Amino acid sequence: MVARLNLLRPSILALLCCAAAASAAAARGVAHAELWPHARSTGLLDPVTELRVSELIGRMSLEEKVGQIIQADIGYITPEDLRRYPLGAVLAGGRSAPDGGSNRTPAAWLALARALRAVSIESRPGHTPIPILFGVDAIHGNNGVSGATIFPHNIGLGAAHDPALIGRIGAATAQEMAVVGFDWAFAPALSVPQDLRWGRSYESYSQDPALVRRYAGEMVRGLQGEPNGMNSVQSGHVAATAKHFLGDGGTRGGIDQGDTEASEPELVRVHAQGYVSAIDAGVMSVMASYSSWQGVKLHGNASLLRGVLKGRLGFEGFVVGDWNGHAQIAGCSNTNCAAALIAGIDMFMAPDGWKELFDNTLAQLRAGDIPLALLDDAVRRILRVKARLGLFDGARPWEGRPDVLASSAHRALARSAVRESLVLLKNRRQLLPIRASARVLVAGDGADDIGRQCGGWTLGWQGSGHVNSDFPHGESIYAGIRAALEAGGGSAQLSVDGSATAAPEVAIVVFGEPPYAESAGDLPTIEYQAGARRDLKLLQRLRAEHIPVVSVFLSGRPLAADSELDASDAFVAAWLPGSEGGGVADLLIGDAHGAPRHDFSGRLSFAWPASTPAAAAAAGAANGAAAGVKARTAAITRPRFALGYGLHYPAHSPARTAGACNRACAPD
Ligand code: GLC
């Protein structure tokens, strides 16, 4: 009976919130649950687990319940702190590493994970042993751990249009997490960006909700295992997180953490589709968005968190806030926010202020400012996930395995993902594929830089400042090209500024955006290098020397680059391909006769914008002079290449050899 009553409780809450929403129907930012689809969630509820959770809750003190709903960052807590503050989870934020240093080795991570877990489950007077969750942003592989396989970022995976690939990448990522003691991935992002100036566009699969919906469930199943499964960690799986609920990609002007003004029907049609399939796949957590909807911050929106997500969509896992995201609710701070719990956040991500937040939340519960029923519901959801993950089972068979991280199978998977993600936008006079016996100049500041090809969220939050030796199992794009050419009797000369002396038959120039994460990647304009077009000058110089140019563009999004496209004979959108740069050469370099070894299959999952006439003129006239970046211009709506565009090699046509193009390819 107890279990049944508990099972009913969330739906009672959902009804209460729907009633509140209906009464406030006129107010902005209030959702109407009846407008939303039903998810067929079957993933997380089972009577045995619910009874076990009820028994646990019955034994827990109020302090222990408050501890379960607070997550600290490893940079601000020690294992010993857990004896006084029995927190339910920790995270390693983008900047955080064991011992606060730069030691990101698998051994260091595993030692920390085990030390934290040991305290959380030790037997001591007055303590209910409950294993701690360890969450990380494993968003393109286990990207915070040195030596891990770094997969292409989601924008490239979207171009692959291959849902099965997504599931395989999720499974490989989960295994590479399990070996170092992590059990919770803050992935997949289910954002549907509407303005590419948003710095997090590359964390999204597509502007197309249907593709995001097809991918979401696959990534959740890849990370977690099949819904209704038990003991995920024992089978090398982890908890997944559908994020950031809801509408993070729809903010005005693409401003990170901004306001999404969409109507409620548009919010459902465009931004919610991934969550339906993620919940159907039994996703264990959802992360609330920093952004707001119609002026109401998501962290404080009960009609969306309780009425829609937990009510109508039937989500049975727990909602985690974003990094101090609760503090963005009016009247809240990092250390004090009853409103978030009341609105439907089940776990505070309180990296630094967790201790004060613990004390304040305990006091608010004792004072009746927060209904105990809400606390119990939050704790139930968290313990439900921990039980389904198998955390109460001490076995961690994957931990410490030396054969999993960057295994040959995972590297091959990543390399095939690179091949599937690249999009061929231009191939004038069939310059590509390049004959393997050709003499090739490889230029551009992205040619031999593994960190650059990985992008943000790589061995650190912003992904910048790395050297190739930081990626012991990685391969740069240049190294891949050199290997392919040398295998075919050709040669590759690296000259970042293109000033090489030996007359090449063709030049491959790798350039594009530097690594960035979150708002650091927000742009005022979608025009590439809108001020000084440094890369254009290199392309134009090579063309002036009658050297055919293949551009390989590294970017977290499509950018308006008409001048660079026009200065290239071939142009490949490579996105952020990750540590297996050899996948690029697999497509660019043919066999000794110039026939393709692999063909392009990628198609744009975002429309590619055209330059504005003013920007194109400025690029021509300014010739790299700092024209100054104008104020935030309106988003460009006219695409240069439509959603779904992508060229392939012609079937059975005699592939051109670069040499033949050398003299005949007059500049445009
Ligand atoms: C960040 C991001 C979120 C990430 C979290 C933990 O601010 O918004 O995607 O999972 O903090 O690093």
Side-chain angles (χ1 to χ4, degrees), residues 513-537:
E513 291 192 292
Y516 54 80
E518 300 194 52
S519 57
D522 280 7
L523 292 175
T525 170
I526 203 64
E527 193 69 32
Y528 179 60
Q529 289 187 343
R533 312 219 35 155
R534 296 179 303 279
D535 297 313
L536 177 61
K537 284 164 50 179

Side-chain angles (χ1 to χ4, degrees), residues 535-567:
D535 297 313
L536 177 61
K537 284 164 50 179
L538 171 54
L539 302 177
Q540 289 173 332
R541 179 156 45 83
L542 292 167
R543 290 292 295 281
E545 294 167 19
H546 298 294
I547 299 172
V549 171
V550 177
S551 288
V552 176
F553 191 59
L554 297 176
S555 70
R557 60 198 133 192
L559 288 166
D562 284 6
S563 303
E564 289 78 9
L565 271 157
D566 297 342

Side-chain angles (χ1 to χ4, degrees), residues 106-466:
W109 285 111
L110 181 54
L112 175 61
R114 284 174 165 170
L116 291 159
R117 188 188 311 145
V119 177
S120 73
I121 59 174
E122 74 184 7
S123 298
R124 59 179 187 268
H127 175 59
T128 308
I130 297 175
I132 199 165
L133 272 168
F134 196 150
V136 292
D137 292 282
I139 67 170
H140 62 141
N142 192 9
N143 41 251
V145 175
S146 56
T149 308
I150 308 296
F151 291 91
H153 267 297
N154 286 350
I155 193 166
L157 299 181
H161 287 80
D162 183 352
L165 172 69
I166 302 308
R168 293 196 295 271
I169 290 174
T173 300
Q175 290 171 2
E176 297 205 12
M177 289 176 65
V179 297
V180 295
F182 299 152
D183 34 44
W184 180 16
F186 302 139
L190 302 180
S191 325
V192 187
Q194 301 300 295
D195 187 319
L196 291 169
R197 291 174 293 176
W198 186 38
R200 307 193 72 168
S201 295
Y202 67 81
E203 295 184 58
S204 163
Y205 296 120
S206 179
Q207 72 178 68
D208 176 5
L211 183 60
V212 174
R213 180 166 179 158
R214 280 203 305 277
Y215 272 25
E218 293 294 341
M219 179 50 81
V220 169
R221 278 188 288 272
L223 286 167
Q224 294 188 172
E226 286 308 312
N228 290 315
M230 293 293 282
N231 294 6
S232 308
V233 290
Q234 284 76 25
S235 59
H237 289 101
V238 297
T241 307
K243 73 181 188 180
H244 310 81
F245 188 87
L246 180 65
D248 54 347
T251 60
R252 184 170 173 275
I255 295 172
D256 190 37
Q257 305 187 15
D259 186 36
T260 294
E261 300 168 329
S263 68
E264 188 167 5
E266 185 183 352
L267 198 65
V268 177
R269 178 174 50 80
V270 174
H271 299 286
Q273 296 307 309
Y275 292 88
V276 177
S277 68
I279 293 170
D280 279 349
V283 70
M284 292 180 176
S285 77
V286 167
M287 187 180 293
S289 179
Y290 280 122
S291 58
S292 23
W293 174 52
Q294 295 183 354
V296 178
K297 278 288 177 183
L298 259 293
H299 278 67
N301 192 323
S303 69
L304 279 173
L305 293 176
R306 292 192 183 281
V308 169
L309 179 60
K310 295 177 177 178
R312 187 76 171 183
L313 293 179
F315 174 58
E316 297 151 351
F318 66 88
V319 178
V320 62
D322 203 334
W323 183 282
N324 282 325
H326 52 276
Q328 294 192 11
I329 302 172
C332 281
S333 69
N334 289 357
T335 58
N336 193 326
C337 191
L341 196 58
I342 290 168
I345 300 288
D346 298 306
M347 181 185 285
F348 291 97
M349 188 182 288
D352 46 2
W354 57 269
K355 196 177 291 185
E356 271 188 85
L357 181 68
F358 180 100
D359 295 335
N360 288 330
T361 306
L362 187 59
Q364 286 158 343
L365 283 156
R366 286 184 169 137
D369 298 340
I370 303 172
L372 286 171
L374 296 191
L375 173 68
D376 281 348
D377 179 56
V379 173
R380 169 172 295 281
R381 289 169 175 267
I382 293 165
L383 296 181
R384 176 184 291 154
V385 166
K386 291 185 175 184
R388 298 303 300 268
L389 270 173
L391 300 192
F392 291 97
D393 175 345
R396 295 291 183 105
W398 286 78
E399 286 185 357
R401 281 182 52 177
D403 58 319
V404 176
L405 220 55
S407 66
S408 55
H410 290 177
R411 293 191 61 188
L413 175 62
R415 188 165 180 149
S416 70
V418 173
R419 289 194 295 267
E420 290 192 50
S421 67
L422 267 54
V423 181
L424 182 59
L425 297 180
K426 179 178 181 182
N427 192 19
R428 185 171 170 272
R429 302 163 62 86
Q430 296 309 311
L431 173 61
L432 289 175
I434 295 168
R435 195 183 67 250
S437 56
R439 287 188 323 282
V440 177
L441 164 68
V442 183
D445 57 12
D448 192 32
D449 186 337
I450 300 174
R452 184 76 176 275
Q453 62 198 54
C454 288
W457 295 103
T458 306
L459 299 182
W461 186 35
Q462 294 296 319
S464 50
H466 297 308

